[in-house]
Amino acid sequence: MSYSDLVVRAKDVEPFIAPCMEGIYESQCLIDRESVGSRSLNVNRGVLKAGQRLAGGSHPTEYDECYYVVSGRAKLALGGD
């Protein structure tokens, strides 16, 4: 595998849209073990439409998360331990 095989372009990644989220939220897994062989980094691009909100959720494995707002404003509520 060459380094050029590891370049990920969001426009080339099919988004995942949950059945109840059409027109509200879409997600793209850009970097993970399956896409580029990363063992310790996952990068997910999520797009939430303006004025919408997501219900809380959890992940099957623990990992650090970083949220970056490209435009507009967002409110993030973290719960748990």
Side-chain angles (χ1 to χ4, degrees):
M1 177 181 293
S2 71
Y3 287 114
S4 63
D5 293 334
L6 300 177
V7 174
V8 178
R9 292 175 182 84
K11 67 178 184 154
D12 297 333
V13 177
E14 188 71 30
F16 169 76
I17 303 170
C20 59
M21 291 285 142
E22 293 100 347
I24 297 173
Y25 179 76
E26 64 181 46
S27 173
Q28 293 168 288
C29 186
L30 303 178
I31 296 174
D32 67 353
R33 184 179 297 267
E34 294 174 15
S35 64
V36 297
S38 175
R39 295 182 189 160
S40 58
L41 175 67
N42 286 16
V43 174
N44 185 69
R45 177 179 185 256
V47 178
L48 180 65
K49 300 297 179 186
Q52 300 295 322
R53 66 182 343 177
L54 298 175
S58 63
H59 301 284
T61 57
E62 292 185 23
Y63 54 86
D64 294 333
E65 294 187 26
C66 176
Y67 294 86
Y68 181 76
V69 177
V70 175
S71 66
R73 296 180 309 179
K75 181 190 258 185
L76 177 66
L78 300 175
D81 300 337

